[in-house]
Each structure stands twice: as structure tokens, then as C-alpha cells.
Amino acid sequence: MKRVFSGVQPTGNLHIGNYLGALKQFVELQEQHQCIYCVVDMHSITLPQEPQELREHILDIAALYMAVGVDPKKSIIFIQSEVSGHAELGWILNCASYMGELSRMTQFKDKSKGKENGSIPSGIFTYPVLMAADILLYDADIVPVGNDQKQHIELTRDLAIRINNRFQKQTFVVPEGRFLKEGARIMALDDPTSKMSKSAENDFSRISLLDSDTKIKKAIMKATTDSDAVVRYDIEKKPGVSNLLSIYSTFSGISIEDLEKQYEGCGYGNFKKDLVEVTIDAIRPIRERFEEIRNSLELTKVLDDGRERAEAIAEKTLARVKTDFGLGR
Ligand code: TYM
């Protein structure tokens, strides 16, 4: 059985970009694979977090995993900082990675834009190495993520191959990213040229999985489109409408082509109204399940059990890696 690993940062609640790009895959994959899903809290502290809020968000994300359909009987759900192997392997991989390749990461470039070197936390710079450690620690074959993580997966593969070549053995399994055709890059509703993100200031730029029906409606009705009133997919000329079509298609399972036909000559009013309905129908059950799970004893048990199962795998990999590197006795 192939092994799957993925993670989400607990820096805020999940939005539909996270869901359609990554979490939808988490649920699909668990039927045929051994899946490990992590709340990557150590990634979150690359920027300062309010401790109490971080704690809440960690549990929110774990509960959201279950609310969207990750089944703890089939998959492992756990918190990164509770398995110390991530930090240990992170250090080992840091020693095998180069400043040059880390400087080329677009997320690093974006996050450090306009800042002096003296004020950029080094965690932001080495963050992709910790992500590589997350993946390699579990000998994962497949990593389901959105498009924005592509470069980080490439780095993970490069590191694994580099170390395997150095020792002339399979110290690491070389993983592959898994990206969806639709949903891999959901854009902000107010600005379809930048990706939907947890941290954007305008709350109407995204739809969170915990948003009320009223908020969802308002966000979609306000979403930026264009003035030619034709429902057609054209990412260059009509980025706003194309983004809404992607969202509609992934939530409903109807192809973009069929949606274009369905709304021919209709303008944006009806299209948006139906999209509101489709989105609310998809999100309401998630929100309701989240409310049941979030403060339940079940969540604590799932995370305790997940930590144990994750630790057992991590320990074995780390012992192998330390031997290959000649660390310890
Ligand atoms: P994060 O927490 O930013 O996002 C979680 C997942 O959601 C995807 N995603 C999107 N997909 C489509 N459209 C969007 N607008 C959108 N925004 C986010 C992301 O691609 C991701 O799959 N570095 C990772 C977390 C991580 C990780 C890992 C992932 C740490 N270690 C190991 C996989 C394996 C991150 O910051 O994701």
C-alpha cells in the first residue's frame, strides 16, 4: 500500500482553496492508501503567533480534517510538534541543503520582499526543509497539495535524491506531489490575480469552511468578475469568472464546459446565485460536523492515537537515517 503524507498550517481556519486544492484529495486517497495527515504547528511559528490562538487553531484544523471526511480509523491524524522526529530530521536535512536553492523558493521571495536581511526570520528561509523532513520522515510516496507547494515538493525530491546518491542506498523514499486539475489554485474572490489565502486582510477575499451561510452569500455576490457578462473560462482575460467556474465545478462535479453551456446568455446574476447554493450545500455539513467534533473527547483520543502511530513510523526512519549519516553510537 502506498503511503500518503500531507499537512496544513494552523494559522487560521481553512478556506475553500485549502479544501479544494488539498483536503478533498485527503479524503479520496484514504480509501486505497495509508494516509498520514499532520497539523504542522511548527511551520506556523516561522512568524510570531499569539500562543492561545495557535493552540485553538491547532485543534480547529484537526477537527476540520475529520469534519471534511478524514476518517481516523483509516488515516493517522496528529500534531507535528508532538513528534520530535520532525525537528531532528529537519536539522539533518538543513545540513544537506544549499543557501542557493532555498533563496530561489518563490514563497521565501514573496514573504521577504521589501525586508532587510536583518529582519527576516531564518525560519522563513529554512521552512521548506522542515516540510521536506515532514514528508521524508514517513517514507511517503504521494503528497497531495495545491499548486503553491510544487516548488517545495521539488526541493524535497532533490534532497532525497542527493542524500541517496551520497550514500549509494535508499536512505529516503523519493516522493511525488499530487495536484488536482481543478482546485489546485483557487484565487482570492476580491482579486483573482492573487491566490486565496488565510492571511489576506479582506475577509471577503475568501470563504472559510466555518463561514455562515450569510457570509458565503455575501462573499460570492461581491466577487470580482468583469463587464462582458459571459460565463466563459478564460484565465487570462476573465480571471474572476474562471475562478468562480473552477469553484463551481469542483464543488458540484459538473465540468466547466457543461457549466458554460448551462449559463449561456444568462449573465452573472443567476450563475452567482446558483454558485451560492452549491457552496452552501457543500460547506454546511462540514460546519455542522465540526461543531460536534471540536470539543469532543473523540478528538483528544484521535490525536493521542495519531501521535503514537506517527511516532512509531518516525522512530524507525530516524534510526535508519542516523545510521546512514553515522550519527550516534
Ligand atoms: P498551507 O497551510 O498554506 O495550505 C494547506 C494546503 O492548502 C493548499 N492551498 C491551496 N490550494 C488551492 N488554492 C489555494 N488558494 C490554496 N491555498 C492553499 C496548499 O497547497 C496546501 O496543500 N507548507 C504547507 C504545509 C506543509 C506541508 C508539509 C504540506 C508543511 N509540511 C508536508 C504537505 C506535506 C503550507 O504552508 O500549506
Side-chain angles (χ1 to χ4, degrees), residues 5-11 14-23 25-26 38 40 43 65 80 86 107 111 127-128 130-135 143-150 152-153 156 179 183-188 194-198:
F5 183 94
S6 197
V8 172
Q9 288 197 56
T11 36
L14 296 185
H15 53 68
I16 58 171
N18 301 128
Y19 177 64
L20 298 174
L23 272 93
Q25 301 197 66
F26 292 9
C38 183
V40 291
H43 278 86
Y65 278 170
Q80 184 188 32
H86 293 256
Q107 270 199 2
K111 288 194 175 163
Y127 156 111
L130 182 59
M131 176 163 164
D134 299 339
I135 297 166
V143 187
V145 278
N147 267 356
D148 61 338
Q149 300 300 318
K150 223 170 213 168
H152 296 159
I153 306 284
T156 306
F179 311 93
R185 190 171 172 81
I186 299 295
M187 309 307 279
S194 52
K195 83 173 180 185
M196 186 177 286
S197 91
K198 295 187 200 111

Short mmCIF file of all heavy atoms in Angstrom, two decimals, residues 5-11 14-23 25-26 38 40 43 65 80 86 107 111 127-128 130-135 143-150 152-153 156 179 183-188 194-198, ligand 1:
data_model
loop_
_atom_site.label_atom_id
_atom_site.label_comp_id
_atom_site.label_asym_id
_atom_site.label_seq_id
_atom_site.Cartn_x
_atom_site.Cartn_y
_atom_site.Cartn_z
N PHE A 5 1.37 11.48 2.65
CA PHE A 5 1.56 12.43 3.76
C PHE A 5 1.18 13.82 3.29
O PHE A 5 1.52 14.23 2.18
CB PHE A 5 3.02 12.44 4.23
CG PHE A 5 3.21 13.37 5.41
CD1 PHE A 5 3.16 12.87 6.71
CD2 PHE A 5 3.39 14.73 5.23
CE1 PHE A 5 3.30 13.73 7.80
CE2 PHE A 5 3.54 15.60 6.32
CZ PHE A 5 3.50 15.09 7.60
N SER A 6 0.47 14.56 4.14
CA SER A 6 0.27 15.98 3.85
C SER A 6 0.01 16.73 5.15
O SER A 6 -0.24 16.13 6.20
CB SER A 6 -0.88 16.21 2.86
OG SER A 6 -0.77 17.52 2.32
N GLY A 7 0.08 18.05 5.06
CA GLY A 7 -0.11 18.86 6.26
C GLY A 7 -0.71 20.22 5.94
O GLY A 7 -0.67 20.68 4.80
N VAL A 8 -1.25 20.84 6.98
CA VAL A 8 -1.84 22.17 6.86
C VAL A 8 -1.37 22.99 8.06
O VAL A 8 -1.30 22.49 9.18
CB VAL A 8 -3.39 22.10 6.86
CG1 VAL A 8 -4.00 23.48 6.93
CG2 VAL A 8 -3.90 21.35 5.64
N GLN A 9 -1.05 24.25 7.81
CA GLN A 9 -0.62 25.14 8.90
C GLN A 9 -1.82 25.65 9.70
O GLN A 9 -2.79 26.11 9.10
CB GLN A 9 0.07 26.36 8.32
CG GLN A 9 1.41 26.10 7.74
CD GLN A 9 2.18 27.39 7.57
OE1 GLN A 9 2.37 28.14 8.53
NE2 GLN A 9 2.60 27.66 6.37
N PRO A 10 -1.72 25.63 11.02
CA PRO A 10 -2.83 26.16 11.83
C PRO A 10 -2.72 27.66 12.07
O PRO A 10 -2.72 28.10 13.21
CB PRO A 10 -2.68 25.37 13.13
CG PRO A 10 -1.22 25.09 13.24
CD PRO A 10 -0.68 25.00 11.84
N THR A 11 -2.63 28.42 10.97
CA THR A 11 -2.51 29.87 11.14
C THR A 11 -3.86 30.57 11.03
O THR A 11 -3.93 31.78 11.12
CB THR A 11 -1.56 30.46 10.09
OG1 THR A 11 -1.73 29.75 8.87
CG2 THR A 11 -0.13 30.37 10.52
N LEU A 14 -9.50 26.98 7.84
CA LEU A 14 -9.31 26.58 6.45
C LEU A 14 -10.30 27.30 5.54
O LEU A 14 -11.45 27.52 5.91
CB LEU A 14 -9.52 25.08 6.32
CG LEU A 14 -8.52 24.21 7.05
CD1 LEU A 14 -8.76 22.74 6.74
CD2 LEU A 14 -7.12 24.60 6.64
N HIS A 15 -9.85 27.61 4.34
CA HIS A 15 -10.75 28.21 3.35
C HIS A 15 -10.99 27.22 2.22
O HIS A 15 -10.37 26.14 2.19
CB HIS A 15 -10.17 29.55 2.85
CG HIS A 15 -8.76 29.46 2.35
ND1 HIS A 15 -8.42 28.78 1.20
CD2 HIS A 15 -7.61 29.96 2.85
CE1 HIS A 15 -7.12 28.89 1.00
NE2 HIS A 15 -6.59 29.59 1.99
N ILE A 16 -11.85 27.60 1.30
CA ILE A 16 -12.20 26.63 0.24
C ILE A 16 -11.02 26.33 -0.69
O ILE A 16 -11.01 25.31 -1.35
CB ILE A 16 -13.45 27.07 -0.57
CG1 ILE A 16 -13.23 28.44 -1.22
CG2 ILE A 16 -14.69 27.08 0.30
CD1 ILE A 16 -14.33 28.81 -2.22
N GLY A 17 -10.01 27.20 -0.73
CA GLY A 17 -8.80 26.89 -1.50
C GLY A 17 -8.08 25.70 -0.89
O GLY A 17 -7.74 24.74 -1.59
N ASN A 18 -7.90 25.72 0.43
CA ASN A 18 -7.28 24.58 1.12
C ASN A 18 -8.10 23.31 0.88
O ASN A 18 -7.55 22.23 0.67
CB ASN A 18 -7.23 24.81 2.64
CG ASN A 18 -6.46 26.05 3.04
OD1 ASN A 18 -6.95 26.88 3.78
ND2 ASN A 18 -5.24 26.19 2.55
N TYR A 19 -9.40 23.48 0.95
CA TYR A 19 -10.28 22.32 0.80
C TYR A 19 -10.22 21.73 -0.61
O TYR A 19 -9.97 20.55 -0.80
CB TYR A 19 -11.73 22.70 1.17
CG TYR A 19 -12.70 21.57 0.97
CD1 TYR A 19 -12.57 20.39 1.71
CD2 TYR A 19 -13.72 21.65 0.03
CE1 TYR A 19 -13.45 19.33 1.51
CE2 TYR A 19 -14.60 20.60 -0.18
CZ TYR A 19 -14.46 19.44 0.57
OH TYR A 19 -15.31 18.39 0.37
N LEU A 20 -10.41 22.61 -1.60
CA LEU A 20 -10.49 22.11 -2.98
C LEU A 20 -9.12 21.69 -3.52
O LEU A 20 -9.02 20.79 -4.33
CB LEU A 20 -11.15 23.16 -3.90
CG LEU A 20 -12.59 23.51 -3.51
CD1 LEU A 20 -13.11 24.65 -4.38
CD2 LEU A 20 -13.52 22.30 -3.64
N GLY A 21 -8.06 22.36 -3.05
CA GLY A 21 -6.72 22.02 -3.52
C GLY A 21 -6.14 20.80 -2.82
O GLY A 21 -5.49 19.97 -3.44
N ALA A 22 -6.39 20.69 -1.51
CA ALA A 22 -5.71 19.65 -0.74
C ALA A 22 -6.66 18.68 -0.02
O ALA A 22 -6.63 17.48 -0.26
CB ALA A 22 -4.78 20.31 0.28
N LEU A 23 -7.52 19.20 0.84
CA LEU A 23 -8.29 18.30 1.71
C LEU A 23 -9.23 17.35 0.99
O LEU A 23 -9.48 16.23 1.44
CB LEU A 23 -9.08 19.11 2.75
CG LEU A 23 -8.23 19.36 3.99
CD1 LEU A 23 -7.52 20.70 3.87
CD2 LEU A 23 -9.04 19.29 5.24
N GLN A 25 -8.54 15.90 -1.68
CA GLN A 25 -7.68 14.77 -2.03
C GLN A 25 -7.42 13.86 -0.83
O GLN A 25 -7.33 12.65 -0.96
CB GLN A 25 -6.32 15.25 -2.53
CG GLN A 25 -6.32 16.15 -3.72
CD GLN A 25 -4.90 16.19 -4.31
OE1 GLN A 25 -4.41 15.20 -4.81
NE2 GLN A 25 -4.26 17.35 -4.25
N PHE A 26 -7.29 14.49 0.36
CA PHE A 26 -7.01 13.69 1.57
C PHE A 26 -8.09 12.60 1.72
O PHE A 26 -7.79 11.46 2.04
CB PHE A 26 -7.07 14.54 2.85
CG PHE A 26 -5.99 15.58 3.01
CD1 PHE A 26 -5.12 15.89 1.99
CD2 PHE A 26 -5.86 16.25 4.23
CE1 PHE A 26 -4.13 16.86 2.17
CE2 PHE A 26 -4.88 17.21 4.41
CZ PHE A 26 -4.02 17.52 3.38
N CYS A 38 -1.16 15.73 8.99
CA CYS A 38 -0.50 16.40 10.10
C CYS A 38 -0.97 17.85 10.23
O CYS A 38 -1.21 18.51 9.21
CB CYS A 38 1.00 16.34 9.78
SG CYS A 38 2.07 17.01 11.03
N VAL A 40 0.62 21.07 10.97
CA VAL A 40 2.03 21.45 11.04
C VAL A 40 2.22 22.75 11.84
O VAL A 40 2.51 23.82 11.31
CB VAL A 40 2.68 21.54 9.63
CG1 VAL A 40 2.80 20.15 9.02
CG2 VAL A 40 1.90 22.44 8.69
N HIS A 43 5.49 24.81 11.63
CA HIS A 43 5.62 25.71 10.48
C HIS A 43 5.01 27.08 10.80
O HIS A 43 5.47 28.10 10.30
CB HIS A 43 4.94 25.12 9.25
CG HIS A 43 5.79 24.13 8.52
ND1 HIS A 43 5.83 22.81 8.85
CD2 HIS A 43 6.64 24.29 7.48
CE1 HIS A 43 6.68 22.18 8.05
NE2 HIS A 43 7.17 23.05 7.21
N TYR A 65 -10.15 18.43 9.69
CA TYR A 65 -9.77 17.23 8.94
C TYR A 65 -10.90 16.20 9.03
O TYR A 65 -11.33 15.63 8.04
CB TYR A 65 -8.50 16.60 9.54
CG TYR A 65 -7.17 17.21 9.13
CD1 TYR A 65 -6.00 16.83 9.78
CD2 TYR A 65 -7.06 18.13 8.10
CE1 TYR A 65 -4.76 17.36 9.43
CE2 TYR A 65 -5.83 18.66 7.74
CZ TYR A 65 -4.68 18.27 8.41
OH TYR A 65 -3.47 18.79 8.05
N GLN A 80 2.24 18.01 14.54
CA GLN A 80 3.68 17.94 14.21
C GLN A 80 4.58 18.06 15.45
O GLN A 80 5.50 17.27 15.64
CB GLN A 80 3.99 19.07 13.22
CG GLN A 80 5.41 19.11 12.70
CD GLN A 80 5.61 20.39 11.88
OE1 GLN A 80 5.02 21.43 12.16
NE2 GLN A 80 6.45 20.30 10.87
N HIS A 86 10.42 15.34 13.59
CA HIS A 86 10.36 16.37 12.53
C HIS A 86 11.50 17.37 12.69
O HIS A 86 12.17 17.72 11.72
CB HIS A 86 9.01 17.11 12.58
CG HIS A 86 7.85 16.24 12.22
ND1 HIS A 86 7.20 16.29 11.01
CD2 HIS A 86 7.24 15.25 12.92
CE1 HIS A 86 6.24 15.39 10.99
NE2 HIS A 86 6.24 14.74 12.13
N GLN A 107 8.02 31.27 -2.43
CA GLN A 107 7.33 31.70 -1.19
C GLN A 107 8.27 32.50 -0.30
O GLN A 107 7.85 33.47 0.34
CB GLN A 107 6.77 30.49 -0.45
CG GLN A 107 5.36 30.16 -0.90
CD GLN A 107 4.60 29.28 0.09
OE1 GLN A 107 5.08 28.91 1.16
NE2 GLN A 107 3.38 28.94 -0.28
N LYS A 111 7.61 36.34 0.80
CA LYS A 111 7.49 36.71 2.22
C LYS A 111 8.59 37.66 2.68
O LYS A 111 8.44 38.34 3.69
CB LYS A 111 7.48 35.45 3.10
CG LYS A 111 6.17 34.70 2.98
CD LYS A 111 6.00 33.67 4.07
CE LYS A 111 4.62 33.03 3.96
NZ LYS A 111 4.51 31.79 4.69
N TYR A 127 12.19 27.01 6.17
CA TYR A 127 10.88 26.38 6.26
C TYR A 127 10.66 25.23 5.27
O TYR A 127 10.17 24.16 5.64
CB TYR A 127 9.85 27.51 6.12
CG TYR A 127 8.48 27.20 5.62
CD1 TYR A 127 7.39 27.30 6.49
CD2 TYR A 127 8.24 26.85 4.29
CE1 TYR A 127 6.12 27.04 6.03
CE2 TYR A 127 6.97 26.59 3.84
CZ TYR A 127 5.91 26.68 4.71
OH TYR A 127 4.65 26.41 4.27
N PRO A 128 11.07 25.36 3.99
CA PRO A 128 10.84 24.23 3.07
C PRO A 128 11.62 22.98 3.45
O PRO A 128 11.22 21.88 3.09
CB PRO A 128 11.33 24.76 1.71
CG PRO A 128 11.43 26.23 1.85
CD PRO A 128 11.68 26.51 3.29
N LEU A 130 12.04 21.96 6.58
CA LEU A 130 11.20 21.30 7.60
C LEU A 130 10.05 20.56 6.90
O LEU A 130 9.68 19.45 7.30
CB LEU A 130 10.66 22.34 8.59
CG LEU A 130 9.80 21.78 9.74
CD1 LEU A 130 10.55 20.76 10.58
CD2 LEU A 130 9.27 22.91 10.63
N MET A 131 9.54 21.15 5.85
CA MET A 131 8.46 20.48 5.09
C MET A 131 9.00 19.19 4.46
O MET A 131 8.33 18.16 4.46
CB MET A 131 7.93 21.44 4.03
CG MET A 131 6.90 20.80 3.13
SD MET A 131 5.94 22.04 2.24
CE MET A 131 5.21 21.02 0.96
N ALA A 132 10.23 19.25 3.95
CA ALA A 132 10.84 18.04 3.37
C ALA A 132 10.99 16.98 4.46
O ALA A 132 10.72 15.80 4.24
CB ALA A 132 12.21 18.39 2.77
N ALA A 133 11.38 17.42 5.67
CA ALA A 133 11.54 16.47 6.78
C ALA A 133 10.21 15.81 7.11
O ALA A 133 10.13 14.60 7.33
CB ALA A 133 12.10 17.19 8.00
N ASP A 134 9.12 16.60 7.11
CA ASP A 134 7.79 16.04 7.40
C ASP A 134 7.51 14.86 6.47
O ASP A 134 7.03 13.81 6.89
CB ASP A 134 6.68 17.08 7.13
CG ASP A 134 6.80 18.31 7.99
OD1 ASP A 134 7.47 18.25 9.03
OD2 ASP A 134 6.23 19.36 7.59
N ILE A 135 7.79 15.08 5.21
CA ILE A 135 7.43 14.10 4.17
C ILE A 135 8.36 12.89 4.23
O ILE A 135 7.91 11.74 4.24
CB ILE A 135 7.51 14.77 2.78
CG1 ILE A 135 6.49 15.91 2.69
CG2 ILE A 135 7.29 13.74 1.67
CD1 ILE A 135 6.70 16.85 1.50
N VAL A 143 2.24 13.07 -2.08
CA VAL A 143 1.96 14.25 -1.26
C VAL A 143 0.87 15.09 -1.93
O VAL A 143 1.14 15.83 -2.88
CB VAL A 143 3.23 15.10 -1.06
CG1 VAL A 143 2.98 16.21 -0.06
CG2 VAL A 143 4.40 14.24 -0.60
N PRO A 144 -0.38 14.97 -1.48
CA PRO A 144 -1.46 15.76 -2.08
C PRO A 144 -1.43 17.21 -1.58
O PRO A 144 -1.57 17.45 -0.39
CB PRO A 144 -2.72 15.04 -1.60
CG PRO A 144 -2.32 14.36 -0.32
CD PRO A 144 -0.86 14.07 -0.41
N VAL A 145 -1.26 18.13 -2.48
CA VAL A 145 -1.17 19.56 -2.12
C VAL A 145 -1.72 20.43 -3.26
O VAL A 145 -1.96 19.95 -4.36
CB VAL A 145 0.30 20.00 -1.86
CG1 VAL A 145 0.77 19.65 -0.47
CG2 VAL A 145 1.24 19.43 -2.90
N GLY A 146 -1.84 21.73 -2.97
CA GLY A 146 -2.19 22.70 -4.00
C GLY A 146 -0.94 23.09 -4.78
O GLY A 146 0.18 22.79 -4.36
N ASN A 147 -1.14 23.79 -5.88
CA ASN A 147 -0.03 24.17 -6.78
C ASN A 147 1.06 24.99 -6.10
O ASN A 147 2.21 24.93 -6.49
CB ASN A 147 -0.58 25.01 -7.93
CG ASN A 147 -0.91 24.14 -9.11
OD1 ASN A 147 -0.65 22.93 -9.06
ND2 ASN A 147 -1.48 24.71 -10.15
N ASP A 148 0.67 25.78 -5.10
CA ASP A 148 1.65 26.68 -4.47
C ASP A 148 2.76 25.90 -3.74
O ASP A 148 3.77 26.50 -3.37
CB ASP A 148 0.96 27.67 -3.52
CG ASP A 148 0.24 26.98 -2.38
OD1 ASP A 148 -0.09 25.78 -2.50
OD2 ASP A 148 0.00 27.63 -1.35
N GLN A 149 2.57 24.59 -3.57
CA GLN A 149 3.60 23.80 -2.86
C GLN A 149 4.52 23.03 -3.81
O GLN A 149 5.38 22.27 -3.38
CB GLN A 149 2.93 22.82 -1.88
CG GLN A 149 2.09 23.48 -0.81
CD GLN A 149 2.89 24.43 0.06
OE1 GLN A 149 4.01 24.12 0.45
NE2 GLN A 149 2.34 25.60 0.34
N LYS A 150 4.29 23.22 -5.12
CA LYS A 150 5.03 22.45 -6.12
C LYS A 150 6.55 22.56 -5.93
O LYS A 150 7.28 21.58 -5.95
CB LYS A 150 4.66 22.96 -7.52
CG LYS A 150 4.44 21.85 -8.50
CD LYS A 150 3.84 22.36 -9.81
CE LYS A 150 2.93 21.29 -10.38
NZ LYS A 150 2.09 21.77 -11.46
N HIS A 152 8.24 23.33 -3.32
CA HIS A 152 8.70 22.69 -2.08
C HIS A 152 8.80 21.17 -2.25
O HIS A 152 9.68 20.53 -1.67
CB HIS A 152 7.76 23.02 -0.92
CG HIS A 152 7.74 24.48 -0.56
ND1 HIS A 152 6.72 25.07 0.13
CD2 HIS A 152 8.63 25.47 -0.85
CE1 HIS A 152 6.98 26.36 0.29
NE2 HIS A 152 8.12 26.62 -0.30
N ILE A 153 7.90 20.61 -3.03
CA ILE A 153 7.95 19.16 -3.28
C ILE A 153 9.19 18.84 -4.13
O ILE A 153 9.87 17.84 -3.90
CB ILE A 153 6.68 18.67 -4.03
CG1 ILE A 153 5.41 19.08 -3.28
CG2 ILE A 153 6.73 17.16 -4.27
CD1 ILE A 153 5.08 18.30 -2.07
N THR A 156 12.10 18.75 -1.90
CA THR A 156 12.08 17.52 -1.11
C THR A 156 12.68 16.37 -1.92
O THR A 156 13.49 15.59 -1.44
CB THR A 156 10.62 17.17 -0.71
OG1 THR A 156 10.06 18.29 -0.05
CG2 THR A 156 10.57 15.96 0.20
N PHE A 179 -1.43 16.82 -7.58
CA PHE A 179 -2.14 18.09 -7.75
C PHE A 179 -3.41 17.83 -8.55
O PHE A 179 -3.39 17.03 -9.49
CB PHE A 179 -1.26 19.09 -8.52
CG PHE A 179 0.13 19.19 -7.96
CD1 PHE A 179 1.16 18.39 -8.47
CD2 PHE A 179 0.42 20.05 -6.92
CE1 PHE A 179 2.44 18.46 -7.95
CE2 PHE A 179 1.71 20.12 -6.39
CZ PHE A 179 2.72 19.33 -6.90
N GLY A 183 -9.08 23.24 -8.96
CA GLY A 183 -8.99 23.39 -7.50
C GLY A 183 -7.57 23.55 -6.98
O GLY A 183 -7.38 23.93 -5.83
N ALA A 184 -6.56 23.28 -7.82
CA ALA A 184 -5.19 23.33 -7.34
C ALA A 184 -4.73 24.74 -7.02
O ALA A 184 -3.77 24.95 -6.30
CB ALA A 184 -4.25 22.70 -8.37
N ARG A 185 -5.43 25.73 -7.58
CA ARG A 185 -5.09 27.12 -7.28
C ARG A 185 -6.35 27.97 -7.31
O ARG A 185 -6.72 28.52 -8.36
CB ARG A 185 -4.05 27.62 -8.29
CG ARG A 185 -3.45 28.94 -7.91
CD ARG A 185 -2.27 29.30 -8.80
NE ARG A 185 -1.80 30.64 -8.55
CZ ARG A 185 -0.99 30.97 -7.53
NH1 ARG A 185 -0.57 30.07 -6.71
NH2 ARG A 185 -0.63 32.21 -7.36
N ILE A 186 -7.00 28.06 -6.17
CA ILE A 186 -8.20 28.89 -6.06
C ILE A 186 -7.74 30.32 -5.74
O ILE A 186 -6.89 30.53 -4.89
CB ILE A 186 -9.14 28.35 -4.94
CG1 ILE A 186 -9.59 26.90 -5.26
CG2 ILE A 186 -10.33 29.27 -4.72
CD1 ILE A 186 -10.46 26.75 -6.48
N MET A 187 -8.31 31.28 -6.47
CA MET A 187 -7.85 32.65 -6.33
C MET A 187 -8.74 33.44 -5.35
O MET A 187 -9.86 33.04 -5.04
CB MET A 187 -7.85 33.34 -7.71
CG MET A 187 -7.12 32.55 -8.79
SD MET A 187 -5.44 32.08 -8.33
CE MET A 187 -4.56 33.58 -8.67
N ALA A 188 -8.21 34.58 -4.91
CA ALA A 188 -8.97 35.44 -3.99
C ALA A 188 -10.21 35.98 -4.70
O ALA A 188 -10.16 36.31 -5.88
CB ALA A 188 -8.09 36.59 -3.53
N SER A 194 -4.45 37.12 -7.32
CA SER A 194 -3.62 36.54 -6.24
C SER A 194 -4.38 35.37 -5.60
O SER A 194 -5.61 35.35 -5.60
CB SER A 194 -3.26 37.59 -5.19
OG SER A 194 -4.41 38.25 -4.76
N LYS A 195 -3.64 34.42 -5.04
CA LYS A 195 -4.31 33.19 -4.56
C LYS A 195 -5.09 33.45 -3.27
O LYS A 195 -4.74 34.35 -2.50
CB LYS A 195 -3.29 32.06 -4.41
CG LYS A 195 -2.54 32.09 -3.13
CD LYS A 195 -1.66 30.87 -2.92
CE LYS A 195 -1.01 31.12 -1.57
NZ LYS A 195 -0.05 30.28 -1.06
N MET A 196 -6.15 32.68 -3.09
CA MET A 196 -6.92 32.80 -1.86
C MET A 196 -6.02 32.40 -0.70
O MET A 196 -5.34 31.39 -0.76
CB MET A 196 -8.15 31.88 -1.92
CG MET A 196 -9.09 32.02 -0.75
SD MET A 196 -10.58 31.00 -0.89
CE MET A 196 -11.54 31.87 -2.13
N SER A 197 -5.99 33.23 0.36
CA SER A 197 -5.07 32.90 1.45
C SER A 197 -5.72 33.14 2.81
O SER A 197 -6.67 33.92 2.93
CB SER A 197 -3.78 33.72 1.31
OG SER A 197 -3.91 34.92 2.02
N LYS A 198 -5.17 32.45 3.81
CA LYS A 198 -5.71 32.56 5.18
C LYS A 198 -5.42 33.94 5.75
O LYS A 198 -6.12 34.41 6.63
CB LYS A 198 -5.03 31.53 6.10
CG LYS A 198 -5.31 30.08 5.78
CD LYS A 198 -4.69 29.19 6.89
CE LYS A 198 -4.49 27.76 6.41
NZ LYS A 198 -3.07 27.40 6.26
P1 TYM B 1 -0.91 25.75 3.79
O1 TYM B 1 -1.25 25.56 5.22
O2 TYM B 1 -0.62 27.12 3.30
O3 TYM B 1 -2.07 25.18 2.88
C1 TYM B 1 -2.60 23.89 3.09
C2 TYM B 1 -2.90 23.22 1.76
O4 TYM B 1 -3.83 24.00 1.00
C3 TYM B 1 -3.30 24.29 -0.29
N1 TYM B 1 -3.73 25.64 -0.69
C4 TYM B 1 -4.45 25.91 -1.79
N2 TYM B 1 -4.92 25.13 -2.77
C5 TYM B 1 -5.62 25.73 -3.76
N3 TYM B 1 -5.87 27.07 -3.81
C6 TYM B 1 -5.41 27.89 -2.84
N4 TYM B 1 -5.69 29.20 -2.88
C7 TYM B 1 -4.67 27.32 -1.77
N5 TYM B 1 -4.08 27.85 -0.65
C8 TYM B 1 -3.51 26.80 -0.01
C9 TYM B 1 -1.79 24.21 -0.12
O5 TYM B 1 -1.15 23.96 -1.35
C10 TYM B 1 -1.66 23.07 0.87
O6 TYM B 1 -1.71 21.83 0.19
N6 TYM B 1 3.88 24.23 3.54
C11 TYM B 1 2.49 23.79 3.58
C12 TYM B 1 2.19 22.90 4.75
C13 TYM B 1 3.08 21.71 4.90
C14 TYM B 1 3.02 20.51 4.16
C15 TYM B 1 4.04 19.68 4.70
C16 TYM B 1 2.23 20.07 3.10
C17 TYM B 1 4.08 21.59 5.82
N7 TYM B 1 4.64 20.36 5.71
C18 TYM B 1 4.27 18.41 4.20
C19 TYM B 1 2.48 18.80 2.60
C20 TYM B 1 3.47 17.99 3.14
C21 TYM B 1 1.59 25.02 3.69
O7 TYM B 1 2.01 26.05 4.13
O8 TYM B 1 0.29 24.76 3.37
#
